[in-house]
């Protein structure tokens, strides 16, 4: 957990340093997306470089593979709020979408962000140093139960 937290702290400080030195240069960098997003509800995207005329592309995840660019038939959710500093977007999950895991990308004038998964399982509070054979663990986290975002069993 410490490595994970340190990674995001370094990523945040790097982004802040680049942004403070004259603005974000390059494609957006997504740090976080809302959990348990269902069709028709709004969701947040947090990160850097989401300035100017931005576009969001979402498409169903398949075997956790995502190319560098979104597919031509990817959905383009409506952006309802945009931070002028480029740190967050609020968009509406299209009503015609089906519940499940999605690949999300954001585009600015410099190009598309790396993909990030929405509604993907996200276990929390798992130690990297205390695992051993035969250990009984209890897993907790977000998006572990598809009923959170409308997927039936």
């Amino acid at each position: 957990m410490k490595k994970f937290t340190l990674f995001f702290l370094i990523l945040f400080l790097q982004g802040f340093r680049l942004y403070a030195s004259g603005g974000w240069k390059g494609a957006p960098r997504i740090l976080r997306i809302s959990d348990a997003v269902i069709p028709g509800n709004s969701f947040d995207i947090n990160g850097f470089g989401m300035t100017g005329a931005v576009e969001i592309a979402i498409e169903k995840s398949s075997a956790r593979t995502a190319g560098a660019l979104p597919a031509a038939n990817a959905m383009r959710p409506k952006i309802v709020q945009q931070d002028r500093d480029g740190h967050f977007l609020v968009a509406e999950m299209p009503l015609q979408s089906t519940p499940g895991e999605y690949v999300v990308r954001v585009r600015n004038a410099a190009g598309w962000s790396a993909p990030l998964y929405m509604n993907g399982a996200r276990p929390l509070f798992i130690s990297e140093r205390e695992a051993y054979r035969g250990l009984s663990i209890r897993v907790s986290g977000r998006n572990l139960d598809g009923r959170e975002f409308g997927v039936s069993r």
Side-chain angles (χ1 to χ4, degrees):
M1 189 66 176
K2 288 180 182 178
K3 288 180 183 177
F4 185 74
T5 304
L6 182 61
F7 170 75
F8 276 104
L9 178 61
I10 290 170
L11 189 61
F12 175 78
L13 291 175
Q14 176 192 24
F16 182 76
R17 179 181 54 81
L18 287 171
Y19 185 78
S21 69
W24 185 265
K25 310 243 184 323
R29 181 166 298 165
I30 303 173
L31 297 178
R32 185 185 165 289
I33 299 176
S34 298
D35 289 313
V37 178
I38 61 174
N41 280 11
S42 61
F43 63 94
D44 301 337
I45 300 175
N46 302 89
F48 297 100
M50 297 180 287
T51 56
V54 296
E55 179 181 8
I56 301 171
I58 61 174
E59 54 191 315
K60 270 297 222 190
S61 169
S62 66
R64 286 196 137 335
T65 59
L69 300 174
N73 63 347
M75 290 182 279
R76 306 291 201 244
K78 177 183 170 190
I79 297 172
V80 295
Q81 186 177 12
Q82 181 177 359
D83 173 31
R84 68 182 171 151
D85 295 328
H87 298 297
F88 75 87
L89 299 170
V90 178
E92 291 178 359
M93 187 68 166
L95 278 171
Q96 73 273 19
S97 64
T98 57
E101 184 181 57
Y102 284 85
V103 177
V104 178
R105 293 178 190 82
V106 176
R107 182 176 73 161
N108 65 11
W112 287 100
S113 68
L116 199 66
Y117 293 89
M118 179 189 335
N119 292 343
R122 193 164 57 91
L124 303 171
F125 314 114
I126 297 178
S127 173
E128 297 173 356
R129 291 177 274 149
E130 298 178 15
Y132 54 89
R133 186 183 308 213
L135 175 68
S136 176
I137 62 170
R138 178 172 283 163
V139 177
S140 63
R142 293 304 316 258
N143 303 324
L144 298 175
D145 184 351
R147 292 175 294 185
E148 283 186 273
F149 48 90
V151 174
S152 59
R153 290 183 176 214

